[in-house]
Amino acid sequence: MKKFKLAFAMSIVLLATACQNQKESLDAVGIMPLPASVVPASGSFQVNESTSIQISGDGEELSFISDYLAQKLRNATGFAIPVSGDAGSIVLDLRSNSEDESYELEIGEEKIVISSNGASGIFYGVQTLLQAFPAELFSPNPSNQTWEVPAGKIVDKPEYAYRGSMLDVSRHFMGVEEVKHYIDLMAELKLNYLHLHLTDDQGWRIEIKSWPKLTEIGGSTQVGGGEGGYYTQEDYVNIVKYASQRFITIVPEVDMPGHTNAILASYGELNSGINLPDGDTETVTKSVEKAEEALKKSNIIREPAELYTGIEVGFSTLDTDLELTYQLIDDVVRELSAITPGPYFHIGGDESHVTKKDDYIYFIERVQEIVKSHGKTSIGWDEIATTTLLPGNVAQFWAMADNAKLAQEQGNQVLMSPAKKAYLDMQYDSTTRIGLHWAAYIELDSAYLWDPANYTEGISKKDILGVEAPLWTETVVTRDDLEYLVFPRLAAIAEVAWTPMEKRNWESFKKRIAIQGKRWELRDINFYKSPKVDW
Ligand code: TNX
């Protein structure tokens, strides 16, 4: 009897070790966003002291990517991981130099090959490979363990061309290091556009050399009255470069003609004196009319507006009849376009509640021409679709389905950021410490369970440029605040934008996001532990 008990105990131990040694399958490692196709094979590849990286193909981009991969592997494993053009067990094979974002990742027992016709494809293949390792690979400290990836083949490409996020650096300013930290985390999710909301009523955050008071005065505060801040053009160039190395294009936004109190506080000569921060829309509109009449009758002396540190919206407007307004815009668009390599310039255009409709139309149409004259394509919040859009310009849907439809009818594409699904500043539920809830409470499953191509009547896949998740920062002060609202929802939005609808599945996402959670945890990312997930 004793013998039998012993044998039984031993077999349990053996079974347990066997289970432990049994490698995960490539389709269970938790790749985020889910690739288009994953075919697991038996066996695994092990990184050890003899592992090296071989690059095949040319260019600065490829050498950046190989260093990026080598650095991550070195940090975690402590191995040397040399990079060369001659030989290596991890091969980065850049076959041509197109814009191709698709890639193949083949993991065999002796060799790993990532191939693509574009450098961005190689970069995404690297992101996928890193996620195929144990989560500890993401720890900043080396750990002593085996570093294995299960064998198999992944063939992958994104569903949408534009996969983005937005940071509102106006309501609360965020320094260059904070933005870079955000870029790092975006890149891991294969996001490729970062929209910077650089100006709003509360603050102007980008140096404009020909209008220095925009930052001197307009950048001097923020929501709650803190000291604010701004990027010098050098800072901005630095961010643009850091992002582009990680295949992220910066989209600068200068919000106008509303959301412009910081401009009007900086240059009194631009202020028609009709911005009144309080009052509901109707009373504000009446005041506008009164003020306009007064302006016409008298030679009113223009005075700077007061700086604004509250969180109301819709009370300010540029003077659309004033030539100096367009001089300012031309200078701003010119200076900012010259340091923005990406194709887009975001002109805002939202919530101009105190701009008369005809003035708004005249203004947006004229500003689109200015942007075009500086070689850029305009994006604007969905309200701009109530004007005549230039071909190729993009309306960013956030609230009004009718506006998205107006853009589509004009033959223009829509960028999908429905506030009820994609707004990262919305609270998870009524107990969330920070955030707003005017559009919805957005739990993780809600952020995941929607289809951009089936969200708005009349807007289908071909009308959609992509998906963007904005973070408005009225209530976001620290890095912890930001991380808490952004993660894990940004991963959900990244998958909405990357993975074809027919492949997406909440149960699968739920399992993979728990693994992603470990990767974040190892770096002290303050993500929200949604009760919908078994973390
Ligand atoms: C609406 S969305 C705004 C922003 C606010 C945001 C808060 C949009 C185009 N305008 O000015 O920050 O709500 O959720």
Side-chain angles (χ1 to χ4, degrees), residues 168 171 200 259 313 350-351 381 398 423 425-426 436 438 472 474:
D168 166 9
R171 270 52 176 275
D200 211 302
H259 292 270
V313 293
D350 57 316
E351 300 172 319
W381 299 107
W398 64 284
Y423 267 29
D425 63 319
M426 291 299 119
L436 307 174
W438 63 264
W472 300 99
E474 286 93 334

PDB file of all heavy atoms in Angstrom, residues 168 171 200 259 313 350-351 381 398 423 425-426 436 438 472 474, ligand 1:
ATOM      1  N   ASP A 168      -4.131  65.098 -25.745  1.00  0.00           N
ATOM      2  CA  ASP A 168      -4.465  66.505 -25.554  1.00  0.00           C
ATOM      3  C   ASP A 168      -3.407  67.065 -24.592  1.00  0.00           C
ATOM      4  O   ASP A 168      -3.474  66.840 -23.387  1.00  0.00           O
ATOM      5  CB  ASP A 168      -5.882  66.573 -24.963  1.00  0.00           C
ATOM      6  CG  ASP A 168      -6.255  67.936 -24.395  1.00  0.00           C
ATOM      7  OD1 ASP A 168      -5.495  68.906 -24.603  1.00  0.00           O
ATOM      8  OD2 ASP A 168      -7.312  68.014 -23.738  1.00  0.00           O
ATOM      9  N   ARG A 171      -4.867  70.869 -22.361  1.00  0.00           N
ATOM     10  CA  ARG A 171      -5.580  70.988 -21.077  1.00  0.00           C
ATOM     11  C   ARG A 171      -4.612  70.752 -19.924  1.00  0.00           C
ATOM     12  O   ARG A 171      -4.612  71.474 -18.932  1.00  0.00           O
ATOM     13  CB  ARG A 171      -6.753  70.006 -21.024  1.00  0.00           C
ATOM     14  CG  ARG A 171      -8.061  70.567 -21.558  1.00  0.00           C
ATOM     15  CD  ARG A 171      -7.972  71.181 -22.948  1.00  0.00           C
ATOM     16  NE  ARG A 171      -9.258  71.611 -23.445  1.00  0.00           N
ATOM     17  CZ  ARG A 171     -10.129  70.805 -24.075  1.00  0.00           C
ATOM     18  NH1 ARG A 171      -9.808  69.547 -24.347  1.00  0.00           N
ATOM     19  NH2 ARG A 171     -11.287  71.289 -24.483  1.00  0.00           N
ATOM     20  N   ASP A 200      -5.619  74.764 -27.391  1.00  0.00           N
ATOM     21  CA  ASP A 200      -7.025  74.805 -26.974  1.00  0.00           C
ATOM     22  C   ASP A 200      -7.206  76.072 -26.139  1.00  0.00           C
ATOM     23  O   ASP A 200      -6.268  76.864 -26.000  1.00  0.00           O
ATOM     24  CB  ASP A 200      -7.407  73.526 -26.204  1.00  0.00           C
ATOM     25  CG  ASP A 200      -8.875  73.163 -26.427  1.00  0.00           C
ATOM     26  OD1 ASP A 200      -9.741  73.999 -26.121  1.00  0.00           O
ATOM     27  OD2 ASP A 200      -9.151  72.060 -26.925  1.00  0.00           O
ATOM     28  N   HIS A 259     -12.235  77.055 -29.542  1.00  0.00           N
ATOM     29  CA  HIS A 259     -11.139  76.523 -28.707  1.00  0.00           C
ATOM     30  C   HIS A 259      -9.870  77.366 -28.847  1.00  0.00           C
ATOM     31  O   HIS A 259      -8.762  76.835 -28.901  1.00  0.00           O
ATOM     32  CB  HIS A 259     -10.841  75.055 -29.073  1.00  0.00           C
ATOM     33  CG  HIS A 259     -11.945  74.107 -28.710  1.00  0.00           C
ATOM     34  ND1 HIS A 259     -12.019  73.478 -27.485  1.00  0.00           N
ATOM     35  CD2 HIS A 259     -13.028  73.682 -29.403  1.00  0.00           C
ATOM     36  CE1 HIS A 259     -13.101  72.698 -27.454  1.00  0.00           C
ATOM     37  NE2 HIS A 259     -13.725  72.815 -28.602  1.00  0.00           N
ATOM     38  N   VAL A 313     -16.373  74.225 -22.688  1.00  0.00           N
ATOM     39  CA  VAL A 313     -15.977  74.268 -24.099  1.00  0.00           C
ATOM     40  C   VAL A 313     -16.956  75.140 -24.884  1.00  0.00           C
ATOM     41  O   VAL A 313     -18.071  75.398 -24.428  1.00  0.00           O
ATOM     42  CB  VAL A 313     -15.972  72.860 -24.746  1.00  0.00           C
ATOM     43  CG1 VAL A 313     -14.885  71.994 -24.156  1.00  0.00           C
ATOM     44  CG2 VAL A 313     -17.331  72.192 -24.626  1.00  0.00           C
ATOM     45  N   ASP A 350     -14.017  71.827 -34.170  1.00  0.00           N
ATOM     46  CA  ASP A 350     -15.113  71.339 -33.334  1.00  0.00           C
ATOM     47  C   ASP A 350     -15.695  72.440 -32.456  1.00  0.00           C
ATOM     48  O   ASP A 350     -15.032  73.427 -32.153  1.00  0.00           O
ATOM     49  CB  ASP A 350     -14.627  70.196 -32.424  1.00  0.00           C
ATOM     50  CG  ASP A 350     -13.451  70.626 -31.549  1.00  0.00           C
ATOM     51  OD1 ASP A 350     -12.545  71.291 -32.076  1.00  0.00           O
ATOM     52  OD2 ASP A 350     -13.453  70.312 -30.344  1.00  0.00           O
ATOM     53  N   GLU A 351     -16.925  72.214 -32.072  1.00  0.00           N
ATOM     54  CA  GLU A 351     -17.605  73.001 -31.028  1.00  0.00           C
ATOM     55  C   GLU A 351     -17.377  74.510 -31.143  1.00  0.00           C
ATOM     56  O   GLU A 351     -17.120  75.170 -30.141  1.00  0.00           O
ATOM     57  CB  GLU A 351     -17.128  72.527 -29.641  1.00  0.00           C
ATOM     58  CG  GLU A 351     -17.421  71.085 -29.374  1.00  0.00           C
ATOM     59  CD  GLU A 351     -16.790  70.570 -28.087  1.00  0.00           C
ATOM     60  OE1 GLU A 351     -15.627  70.913 -27.794  1.00  0.00           O
ATOM     61  OE2 GLU A 351     -17.451  69.795 -27.394  1.00  0.00           O
ATOM     62  N   TRP A 381     -12.315  67.765 -37.059  1.00  0.00           N
ATOM     63  CA  TRP A 381     -13.424  67.083 -36.365  1.00  0.00           C
ATOM     64  C   TRP A 381     -14.662  67.120 -37.262  1.00  0.00           C
ATOM     65  O   TRP A 381     -14.756  67.976 -38.164  1.00  0.00           O
ATOM     66  CB  TRP A 381     -13.666  67.728 -35.006  1.00  0.00           C
ATOM     67  CG  TRP A 381     -12.458  67.626 -34.115  1.00  0.00           C
ATOM     68  CD1 TRP A 381     -11.603  68.635 -33.777  1.00  0.00           C
ATOM     69  CD2 TRP A 381     -11.946  66.444 -33.482  1.00  0.00           C
ATOM     70  NE1 TRP A 381     -10.591  68.156 -32.967  1.00  0.00           N
ATOM     71  CE2 TRP A 381     -10.773  66.815 -32.773  1.00  0.00           C
ATOM     72  CE3 TRP A 381     -12.355  65.108 -33.446  1.00  0.00           C
ATOM     73  CZ2 TRP A 381     -10.020  65.893 -32.035  1.00  0.00           C
ATOM     74  CZ3 TRP A 381     -11.603  64.199 -32.708  1.00  0.00           C
ATOM     75  CH2 TRP A 381     -10.455  64.594 -32.011  1.00  0.00           C
ATOM     76  N   TRP A 398     -16.599  62.016 -34.359  1.00  0.00           N
ATOM     77  CA  TRP A 398     -16.552  61.833 -32.905  1.00  0.00           C
ATOM     78  C   TRP A 398     -17.954  61.815 -32.311  1.00  0.00           C
ATOM     79  O   TRP A 398     -18.216  61.127 -31.344  1.00  0.00           O
ATOM     80  CB  TRP A 398     -15.683  62.887 -32.218  1.00  0.00           C
ATOM     81  CG  TRP A 398     -16.163  64.316 -32.320  1.00  0.00           C
ATOM     82  CD1 TRP A 398     -16.076  65.125 -33.415  1.00  0.00           C
ATOM     83  CD2 TRP A 398     -16.783  65.095 -31.294  1.00  0.00           C
ATOM     84  NE1 TRP A 398     -16.608  66.364 -33.149  1.00  0.00           N
ATOM     85  CE2 TRP A 398     -17.046  66.380 -31.847  1.00  0.00           C
ATOM     86  CE3 TRP A 398     -17.131  64.849 -29.972  1.00  0.00           C
ATOM     87  CZ2 TRP A 398     -17.656  67.408 -31.122  1.00  0.00           C
ATOM     88  CZ3 TRP A 398     -17.738  65.872 -29.236  1.00  0.00           C
ATOM     89  CH2 TRP A 398     -17.996  67.135 -29.816  1.00  0.00           C
ATOM     90  N   TYR A 423     -13.215  57.093 -26.940  1.00  0.00           N
ATOM     91  CA  TYR A 423     -12.691  58.190 -26.120  1.00  0.00           C
ATOM     92  C   TYR A 423     -12.067  57.636 -24.837  1.00  0.00           C
ATOM     93  O   TYR A 423     -12.752  57.139 -23.944  1.00  0.00           O
ATOM     94  CB  TYR A 423     -13.797  59.204 -25.804  1.00  0.00           C
ATOM     95  CG  TYR A 423     -13.849  60.335 -26.797  1.00  0.00           C
ATOM     96  CD1 TYR A 423     -13.429  60.129 -28.122  1.00  0.00           C
ATOM     97  CD2 TYR A 423     -14.287  61.613 -26.445  1.00  0.00           C
ATOM     98  CE1 TYR A 423     -13.451  61.170 -29.048  1.00  0.00           C
ATOM     99  CE2 TYR A 423     -14.315  62.651 -27.374  1.00  0.00           C
ATOM    100  CZ  TYR A 423     -13.901  62.422 -28.660  1.00  0.00           C
ATOM    101  OH  TYR A 423     -13.920  63.454 -29.566  1.00  0.00           O
ATOM    102  N   ASP A 425     -10.822  59.241 -22.453  1.00  0.00           N
ATOM    103  CA  ASP A 425     -11.063  60.026 -21.230  1.00  0.00           C
ATOM    104  C   ASP A 425     -12.409  59.686 -20.597  1.00  0.00           C
ATOM    105  O   ASP A 425     -12.722  60.202 -19.508  1.00  0.00           O
ATOM    106  CB  ASP A 425     -10.985  61.533 -21.498  1.00  0.00           C
ATOM    107  CG  ASP A 425     -12.051  62.012 -22.464  1.00  0.00           C
ATOM    108  OD1 ASP A 425     -12.320  61.317 -23.472  1.00  0.00           O
ATOM    109  OD2 ASP A 425     -12.628  63.086 -22.225  1.00  0.00           O
ATOM    110  N   MET A 426     -13.197  58.817 -21.238  1.00  0.00           N
ATOM    111  CA  MET A 426     -14.458  58.413 -20.612  1.00  0.00           C
ATOM    112  C   MET A 426     -14.155  57.440 -19.462  1.00  0.00           C
ATOM    113  O   MET A 426     -13.280  56.588 -19.577  1.00  0.00           O
ATOM    114  CB  MET A 426     -15.372  57.727 -21.645  1.00  0.00           C
ATOM    115  CG  MET A 426     -15.899  58.678 -22.700  1.00  0.00           C
ATOM    116  SD  MET A 426     -16.898  60.015 -21.979  1.00  0.00           S
ATOM    117  CE  MET A 426     -15.941  61.440 -22.481  1.00  0.00           C
ATOM    118  N   LEU A 436     -14.239  61.674 -17.591  1.00  0.00           N
ATOM    119  CA  LEU A 436     -15.555  62.293 -17.771  1.00  0.00           C
ATOM    120  C   LEU A 436     -16.531  61.197 -18.206  1.00  0.00           C
ATOM    121  O   LEU A 436     -16.119  60.060 -18.427  1.00  0.00           O
ATOM    122  CB  LEU A 436     -15.469  63.376 -18.850  1.00  0.00           C
ATOM    123  CG  LEU A 436     -14.370  64.447 -18.670  1.00  0.00           C
ATOM    124  CD1 LEU A 436     -14.322  65.363 -19.901  1.00  0.00           C
ATOM    125  CD2 LEU A 436     -14.633  65.279 -17.412  1.00  0.00           C
ATOM    126  N   TRP A 438     -19.593  62.222 -20.282  1.00  0.00           N
ATOM    127  CA  TRP A 438     -20.681  62.827 -21.056  1.00  0.00           C
ATOM    128  C   TRP A 438     -21.118  61.945 -22.228  1.00  0.00           C
ATOM    129  O   TRP A 438     -22.282  61.966 -22.625  1.00  0.00           O
ATOM    130  CB  TRP A 438     -20.299  64.231 -21.543  1.00  0.00           C
ATOM    131  CG  TRP A 438     -19.133  64.249 -22.492  1.00  0.00           C
ATOM    132  CD1 TRP A 438     -17.828  64.476 -22.170  1.00  0.00           C
ATOM    133  CD2 TRP A 438     -19.160  64.011 -23.906  1.00  0.00           C
ATOM    134  NE1 TRP A 438     -17.036  64.384 -23.288  1.00  0.00           N
ATOM    135  CE2 TRP A 438     -17.826  64.107 -24.365  1.00  0.00           C
ATOM    136  CE3 TRP A 438     -20.178  63.730 -24.834  1.00  0.00           C
ATOM    137  CZ2 TRP A 438     -17.490  63.928 -25.714  1.00  0.00           C
ATOM    138  CZ3 TRP A 438     -19.837  63.559 -26.164  1.00  0.00           C
ATOM    139  CH2 TRP A 438     -18.513  63.650 -26.593  1.00  0.00           C
ATOM    140  N   TRP A 472      -8.434  63.056 -24.035  1.00  0.00           N
ATOM    141  CA  TRP A 472      -8.597  64.451 -23.583  1.00  0.00           C
ATOM    142  C   TRP A 472      -8.153  64.499 -22.131  1.00  0.00           C
ATOM    143  O   TRP A 472      -8.389  63.556 -21.370  1.00  0.00           O
ATOM    144  CB  TRP A 472     -10.059  64.882 -23.731  1.00  0.00           C
ATOM    145  CG  TRP A 472     -10.524  64.791 -25.148  1.00  0.00           C
ATOM    146  CD1 TRP A 472     -11.259  63.779 -25.711  1.00  0.00           C
ATOM    147  CD2 TRP A 472     -10.254  65.717 -26.210  1.00  0.00           C
ATOM    148  NE1 TRP A 472     -11.464  64.028 -27.055  1.00  0.00           N
ATOM    149  CE2 TRP A 472     -10.866  65.204 -27.389  1.00  0.00           C
ATOM    150  CE3 TRP A 472      -9.558  66.924 -26.298  1.00  0.00           C
ATOM    151  CZ2 TRP A 472     -10.796  65.858 -28.624  1.00  0.00           C
ATOM    152  CZ3 TRP A 472      -9.491  67.574 -27.522  1.00  0.00           C
ATOM    153  CH2 TRP A 472     -10.102  67.048 -28.663  1.00  0.00           C
ATOM    154  N   GLU A 474      -8.607  66.929 -19.484  1.00  0.00           N
ATOM    155  CA  GLU A 474      -9.142  67.826 -18.452  1.00  0.00           C
ATOM    156  C   GLU A 474      -8.855  67.279 -17.052  1.00  0.00           C
ATOM    157  O   GLU A 474      -8.570  68.036 -16.124  1.00  0.00           O
ATOM    158  CB  GLU A 474     -10.666  67.989 -18.607  1.00  0.00           C
ATOM    159  CG  GLU A 474     -11.082  68.870 -19.772  1.00  0.00           C
ATOM    160  CD  GLU A 474     -11.347  68.083 -21.031  1.00  0.00           C
ATOM    161  OE1 GLU A 474     -10.780  66.974 -21.189  1.00  0.00           O
ATOM    162  OE2 GLU A 474     -12.116  68.572 -21.883  1.00  0.00           O
TER     163      GLU A 474
HETATM  164  C1  TNX B   1     -15.314  67.206 -26.554  1.00  0.00           C
HETATM  165  S1  TNX B   1     -14.276  65.768 -28.862  1.00  0.00           S
HETATM  166  C2  TNX B   1     -14.282  67.922 -27.141  1.00  0.00           C
HETATM  167  C3  TNX B   1     -13.116  68.265 -26.340  1.00  0.00           C
HETATM  168  C4  TNX B   1     -13.231  67.822 -24.921  1.00  0.00           C
HETATM  169  C5  TNX B   1     -13.848  66.443 -24.896  1.00  0.00           C
HETATM  170  C6  TNX B   1     -13.924  65.834 -23.541  1.00  0.00           C
HETATM  171  C7  TNX B   1     -14.077  67.178 -29.363  1.00  0.00           C
HETATM  172  C8  TNX B   1     -13.781  67.307 -30.772  1.00  0.00           C
HETATM  173  N1  TNX B   1     -14.210  68.176 -28.477  1.00  0.00           N
HETATM  174  O1  TNX B   1     -12.868  69.653 -26.413  1.00  0.00           O
HETATM  175  O2  TNX B   1     -11.977  67.812 -24.344  1.00  0.00           O
HETATM  176  O3  TNX B   1     -15.137  66.517 -25.420  1.00  0.00           O
HETATM  177  O4  TNX B   1     -14.338  64.510 -23.596  1.00  0.00           O
END
